[in-house]
Amino acid sequence: KKSLVLTDMIEVSSDLQHLYEEVADLVNEQHFDSVFLIGYNISKYSDLFKSETHTFIDTKELIDSKYLTEIENQIILLKGARKFEIERLKDILELRKHDTVLEINLNAILHNIAYHKSLLKPSTRMMAMVKANAYGLGSYEISEFLQH
């Protein structure tokens, strides 16, 4: 099972209706089982999301709800503006007893590199930067892969 926690997009000057239609289309392509929307603006467009969708005005409201305790054996993607402090959700979820399996799709990384390279002139050279211990993924292993 896959769940997504997504917040309002902050400091966006484009048409919100169009923006959240595009976001919903991208989310719907991923076939999440549950989607948790946090924020006033994104919550207004909850009907665009095909998954089981729950809306919350702020992160505290989600934390206080029953939904976090019901999440079990799921992949959870947290994506949001810093204003919403969704790292609090990460901290709560990490404290729960669980076995974690982390899979790194090196083909996906390679695909992303090839895509970005295709946007550049052929003579342009690329350099990868691995920061923050590759976000806990193992800086040595990721660096070695990127080097090759």
Side-chain angles (χ1 to χ4, degrees):
K1 286 188 159 189
K2 299 186 303 185
S3 290
L4 169 67
V5 176
L6 186 63
T7 72
D8 275 347
M9 311 235 173
I10 306 298
E11 298 179 16
V12 177
S13 59
S14 64
D15 172 33
L16 290 181
Q17 173 77 31
H18 180 70
L19 171 69
Y20 288 121
E21 284 174 355
E22 283 187 48
V23 168
D25 287 343
L26 292 169
V27 169
N28 291 335
E29 287 176 8
Q30 300 305 313
H31 306 289
F32 285 97
D33 296 286
S34 300
V35 174
F36 300 93
L37 304 175
I38 301 175
Y40 175 76
N41 289 325
I42 198 167
S43 293
K44 291 191 296 188
Y45 300 99
S46 64
D47 59 322
L48 298 174
F49 296 86
K50 294 178 181 175
S51 306
E52 178 183 325
T53 305
H54 308 280
T55 61
F56 305 91
I57 296 304
D58 56 27
T59 305
K60 182 182 181 330
E61 188 179 358
L62 173 55
I63 290 170
D64 293 342
S65 76
K66 63 179 180 172
Y67 295 107
L68 290 183
T69 60
E70 293 177 353
I71 292 176
E72 194 170 292
N73 296 322
Q74 291 190 34
I75 296 170
I76 305 165
L77 174 61
L78 304 172
K79 186 68 179 161
R82 290 196 187 278
K83 164 187 166 179
F84 290 95
E85 300 176 329
I86 60 173
E87 63 273 7
R88 291 171 49 204
L89 297 174
K90 176 194 74 76
D91 293 340
I92 290 168
L93 292 168
E94 282 181 343
L95 289 174
R96 294 183 56 201
K97 185 177 185 299
H98 63 280
D99 294 322
T100 301
V101 175
L102 176 64
E103 293 182 18
I104 309 299
N105 186 337
L106 297 177
N107 286 330
I109 294 173
L110 189 60
H111 174 268
N112 289 344
I113 292 170
Y115 172 76
H116 288 286
K117 192 169 182 141
S118 74
L119 300 175
L120 302 172
K121 294 178 184 175
S123 60
T124 304
R125 297 174 63 188
M126 290 182 71
M127 178 176 71
M129 182 178 292
V130 178
K131 62 180 196 170
N133 193 25
Y135 300 104
L137 304 178
S139 59
Y140 176 78
E141 293 82 358
I142 297 296
S143 299
E144 282 291 308
F145 175 75
L146 293 173
Q147 183 176 329
H148 293 291

